Amino acid sequence: MIEIIPLHDVSADAVEALLDEAFGADRHRRTAYVIRGSATAIASLSFAAIEEGTLVGSIQCWPIALVTAAGQLPLVMVGPVAVAPGHQGSGVGRTLMRSALAAAESTGLGDAMMLIGDPDYYGRFFDFSAERTTAWDAPGPVERHRLLARGPMVPDMPGLLAPRARIDA
């Protein structure tokens, strides 16, 4: 049985090992890491999946902004969603996403969320789309159709995705 707990209750080393296993040790070079910068993950939206005392999945959410001519518009970046290879396809990732999205809604942080991911999967299960992200730029390579967002306050204007100050929620 999978238990979902706050990510801060799990060893940071265990989370890093899981992320390396799921995405490779070179993951820090990806555009998503540049967008997040040195920000601290939003603790209230970051979770771990535990099975029999072992970390089998994690999700983190980050405070970022869309920097526009009008200023910085706050967003929450979802991801990475990591699932241990032996547990992929078992629903762990979906459970983690549901937990993060429910927490975002309950804390008032669900109005403008984004991620870089598979549009078919995140659109079908979680209502993310590229509808309002077409004018966004990223500080590195990104496949435009994978730049997804959800929420009533997602800005539909040109801008650059960038880190922003930490949110305590």
Side-chain angles (χ1 to χ4, degrees):
M1 171 136 177
I2 301 292
E3 178 185 11
I4 303 300
I5 64 171
L7 189 63
H8 60 73
D9 290 348
V10 176
S11 151
D13 289 341
V15 174
E16 289 299 310
L18 173 66
L19 292 170
D20 283 348
E21 184 178 21
F23 299 110
D26 65 342
R27 63 189 161 82
H28 295 279
R29 295 186 198 136
R30 293 182 179 197
T31 299
Y33 280 81
V34 178
I35 293 170
R36 293 193 302 259
S38 61
T40 300
I42 304 168
S44 63
L45 307 185
S46 299
F47 296 95
I50 306 294
E51 183 179 62
E52 297 178 7
T54 301
L55 178 65
V56 297
S58 70
I59 187 168
Q60 295 171 302
C61 295
W62 307 85
I64 67 163
L66 183 68
V67 180
T68 72
Q72 291 194 22
L73 305 173
L75 296 167
V76 171
M77 183 176 201
V78 180
V81 180
V83 178
H87 287 78
Q88 291 175 359
S90 67
V92 171
R94 257 187 255 167
T95 300
L96 288 163
M97 277 293 295
R98 283 190 205 106
S99 297
L101 295 175
E105 293 301 321
S106 72
T107 59
L109 296 174
D111 287 343
M113 303 182 82
M114 65 79 56
L115 57 76
I116 300 171
D118 177 22
D120 292 332
Y121 178 81
Y122 289 105
R124 179 173 26 146
F125 293 112
F126 307 108
D127 297 322
F128 281 86
S129 81
E131 183 178 302
R132 290 183 275 168
T133 67
T134 57
W136 294 5
D137 286 319
V142 65
E143 296 174 64
R144 305 247 15 117
H145 71 283
R146 295 174 58 84
L147 197 56
L148 309 173
R150 67 172 263 165
M153 300 302 292
V154 171
D156 185 3
M157 63 181 60
L160 176 67
L161 294 167
R164 80 176 151 102
R166 183 173 170 232
I167 300 174
D168 290 313

